[in-house]
Amino acid sequence: MVHSSGNGPGGCAHRAVRGVTRRSLLRGAAAGAGAVAVPALLTACGGGPGGGVTLGSNASDAVPKRAYADAFAAYEKKSKKDVKVNTVNHENFQENINRYLQGTPDDVFTWFAGYRMQYFARKGLLADISDLWREFDGFSEAVKKQSTGEDGKQYFVPYYYYPWAVFHRKSVFRTRGYEIPKNLDQYRALARQMQKDGLTPFALGDKEGWPAMGTFDYLDMRANGYDFHIALMRGEKSWTSPQVRQVFDLWRGLLPYHQKGANGRTWQEAAQSLQQKKTGMAVLGLPHPGQQFTAESRADLDFFPFPEIDPAFGQEAVEAPVDGFLMAKKARNRAGAEDLLAFLATPRAELIYLKSDPNNVAVNSGAGTGSYGALQKKAVRLVSGARQISQFMDRDTRPDFASTVLIQAIQQFIGDPDDIDGLVNGIERQKKQIFAAD
Amino acid sequence: MTTVNRTTGTRPVNPPKAGPPRPARRRGPRRHTRRDIAVLCVLLGLPILLDLALVWGPTLASVALSFTTWDGVGDIEWAGFGNYADLFADYPQFWPAVRNNLLWLAALGLLATPFGLLLAVLIDRGVRFSRFYQSTLYMPVVLSLAVVGFIAQLVLSRDQGALNALLGRQDDPVDWLGDPDLNIWMVLLAACWRHTGYVMILYLAGLKSVDPELKEAAAIDGASERQAFFRVVLPALRPVNVIVGVITVIEALRAFDIVYAVNKGRNGLELLSVLVTDNIIGEASRIGFGSAIAVVLLLVSLGFIITYLVQELRGEQRR
């Protein structure tokens, strides 16, 4: 695979600069400045032999990789057709998606629901699978909406999801007599109590730039409602509005209860501090804390939905990113790809996956929950009770806005929470430029 | 290295011009036969074509793209100087990145390089265990900067790093890599650690090749050791100085891997190269905007290249 070109000017210059001379200086500079702007040179390898389907996967971690392999093996056995899987490092896959889709992409590839999918559908890079969707069974309206492009056609086959919530250890809550907070006042009071008890109330690691987005999303959805949040993410609302200022203001009030130095901490380290009972709570996604807990302590892990802020919106919205599959517009084996996608939309295919990766939950309501652990069952209840489902900040907005503006802005906020004015003005100016682009 | 490239770099212009017009007056060896010319054309033409196709083509394309908006898919739209205006006025990461690149240059040029020279001189004078020092100090150079970045994380992580444990500051840990006022210095330290060894090895090689008679002559003329070094040895090291200077500038401008390994070059560790990558390579695909940043980097590089070339050419004329 050629995807792994990820490191840009450093990488380019690196090669050119080894022999150190004037010419290579020139070349290094030019490579750094120029070569990265040449698009479409890096394309994926695709196209297996006729009959088989190629599948591009970003599941480069051991657990999901094996889980996917099991699911595809089941398909191969059932259909007697080949699935040729090209697995690419998670981050590189995402970073090269544009070039990948314009080059020679695999027939089917893993991706995310919501705006992050609709963006590529709008660019005409995805194949319309509305016909397939008519046959699908067991997906809720909310999920269907997340699988639908702006043109009303379906593009996405949802596979599994994982809700975000406030995670904690049951034993800590039990021994200290903490109550599950229902609203913001109780949430704050609990945090104060934990601090008094010598516990850091909230674990937070935002070195990667995305983990803290979950907190923003929930604060915004609880304070301003799902509709405002989604409109904000789509660039339709102003970041300088009183609503957004209020969100940052609320967050600023909570920050003293968070671990200090979040920008230098990975989310793994934050989750470990929860496991070690140094911290009391953490806003994370379902798969995250579990991976950092030891086998014995995993049963002690629990979560509660993010508390209510404005009673008008209650706790009705849940952040539950859905992962799944897309067919590339340039797919060579369309029939084969559709056949595979139809299989992947079945409860059976989802359960095969979840057997090896029990940190997620099947999207299809036909998938039996019998094999689920307690946490998974609770996650199903949380999401099925939700009136709206958001995907996550970097999936609900434009990829360029999330990765070049919001990540930096949130890190800046965590480092210096007092300059909300400068922060929201900076975001709004950049938002206008980016959303004006097309 | 230098000599090889110098011939390809500066001579190509002369021979073809000097060749054919006046062969009659010259004697045999300078005459160019048809075959010579063909060979010359191939030998020069190919590199020039490659140079144009691989270096100047993309460079000019990048400059052109910087005046457009393009997301890598659809149409390319003309944007005039819009990208540059946005970049200078509204991109909060831009000026910190420029500042960090300059800091990088200053740190490598003013700290790491002189320190490397000092070490080289000390080792060259034959301190005890000099072989040991030499290999130890050179060791980091073998590591890629990305690896240096990972090592830095192991040592400097706030909660789990070795340094805070050594300092006994687990209760009130210093956030070496997360504090935007502090992390750039930590990363520079790591970069200098590596650069020093590199510079040291280059100077060591250079010092070995300095004719000892020069130093003797200086001593006989009554120069102090200090004078002998600064007035005689260092000027004799000119070719090495040039190489070290060029390496230092390149390293400072292409700095990327280490900050990317530490935190993707955010939150205090912005660099121009990182911004280019973030905007162009990533899912973002703001190719026009990213190209504008790349052009800024190109202009900065050109500044150094031109200064250097002018100096070199003047020096050649004088010699």
Side-chain angles (χ1 to χ4, degrees), chain B residues 11-44:
Chain B
R11 295 239 179 101
V13 198
N14 303 331
K17 260 196 254 162
R22 33 178 178 166
R25 279 195 285 147
R26 297 259 173 160
R27 269 157 290 135
R30 289 295 288 218
R31 191 185 228 154
H32 295 294
T33 62
R34 232 169 244 281
R35 197 156 151 260
D36 289 343
I37 292 170
V39 168
L40 272 178
C41 283
V42 171
L43 287 184
L44 288 177

Side-chain angles (χ1 to χ4, degrees), chain B residues 114-294:
Chain B
F115 191 55
L117 175 61
L118 176 72
L119 292 176
V121 172
L122 289 180
I123 288 174
D124 187 53
R125 292 179 62 169
V127 286
R128 267 213 283 179
F129 310 123
S130 67
R131 288 242 165 244
F132 169 75
Y133 288 129
Q134 195 175 326
S135 47
T136 313
L137 291 167
Y138 189 67
M139 196 90 83
V141 186
V142 186
L143 303 174
S144 104
L145 267 176
V147 175
V148 176
F150 287 119
I151 296 175
Q153 288 188 71
L154 292 178
V155 177
L156 299 173
S157 155
R158 179 182 183 272
D159 301 344
Q160 302 175 357
L163 186 57
N164 276 334
L166 274 178
L167 293 175
R169 292 196 64 157
Q170 270 127 330
D171 296 328
D172 176 28
V174 183
D175 194 2
W176 301 107
L177 292 177
D179 182 343
D181 298 326
L182 200 58
N183 53 12
I184 184 72
W185 303 109
M186 292 298 122
V187 168
L188 281 176
L189 200 68
C192 285
W193 173 64
R194 184 173 175 278
H195 193 67
T196 302
Y198 201 176
V199 169
M200 179 197 75
I201 278 294
L202 289 172
Y203 272 122
L204 258 181
L207 285 169
K208 297 261 187 263
S209 67
V210 173
D211 191 346
E213 283 176 25
L214 278 177
K215 276 186 262 182
E216 271 170 44
I220 290 166
D221 285 347
S224 70
E225 208 161 323
R226 209 188 143 98
Q227 284 173 320
F229 179 76
F230 282 106
R231 299 275 173 84
V232 178
V233 177
L234 202 56
L237 286 174
R238 187 170 182 278
V240 184
N241 288 336
V242 168
I243 291 184
V244 169
V246 171
I247 287 181
T248 304
V249 172
I250 292 176
E251 289 276 337
L253 293 179
R254 82 184 181 96
F256 176 84
D257 351 26
I258 186 166
V259 297
Y260 211 71
V262 168
N263 69 355
K264 300 232 156 177
R266 298 177 186 134
N267 185 40
L269 296 186
E270 293 85 359
L271 289 173
L272 287 173
S273 56
V274 171
L275 299 188
V276 176
T277 315
D278 272 358
N279 280 285
I280 293 184
I281 301 281
E283 207 182 319
S285 278
R286 295 172 77 189
I287 290 178
F289 189 68
S291 297
I293 307 172

Side-chain angles (χ1 to χ4, degrees), chain A residues 22 91 95 102 123 265, chain B residues 71-72 159 264 281 308:
Chain A
R22 279 174 294 180
E91 306 243 301
E95 288 181 348
Q102 290 181 80
K123 302 274 174 209
R265 186 181 301 108
Chain B
D71 55 12
D159 301 344
K264 300 232 156 177
I281 301 281
Y308 167 69

Side-chain angles (χ1 to χ4, degrees), chain A residues 216 220 224 228 232 237-252 393 401 405-406 408-410 412-414 416-433, chain B residues 90 92:
Chain A
F216 178 91
D220 193 28
N224 302 316
F228 177 88
L232 179 72
K237 298 276 185 202
S238 167
W239 283 78
T240 53
S241 62
Q243 287 97 323
V244 178
R245 283 173 204 266
Q246 186 205 352
V247 169
F248 281 115
D249 223 34
L250 285 170
W251 199 355
R252 183 174 57 174
M393 183 182 273
F401 186 52
V405 179
L406 291 177
Q408 289 80 354
I410 289 178
Q412 184 197 330
F413 170 76
I414 290 172
D416 173 22
D418 290 326
D419 185 21
I420 292 178
D421 234 26
L423 183 77
V424 292
N425 281 318
I427 298 176
E428 180 64 17
R429 276 199 302 271
Q430 295 181 77
K431 182 206 90 180
K432 282 191 179 133
Q433 292 158 16
Chain B
D90 289 334

Side-chain angles (χ1 to χ4, degrees), chain A residues 93-115:
Chain A
F93 188 86
Q94 267 108 279
E95 288 181 348
N96 287 302
I97 188 70
N98 253 316
R99 275 170 288 274
Y100 173 74
L101 289 178
Q102 290 181 80
T104 46
D106 301 301
D107 299 327
V108 177
F109 63 98
T110 54
W111 199 245
F112 318 104
Y115 196 90

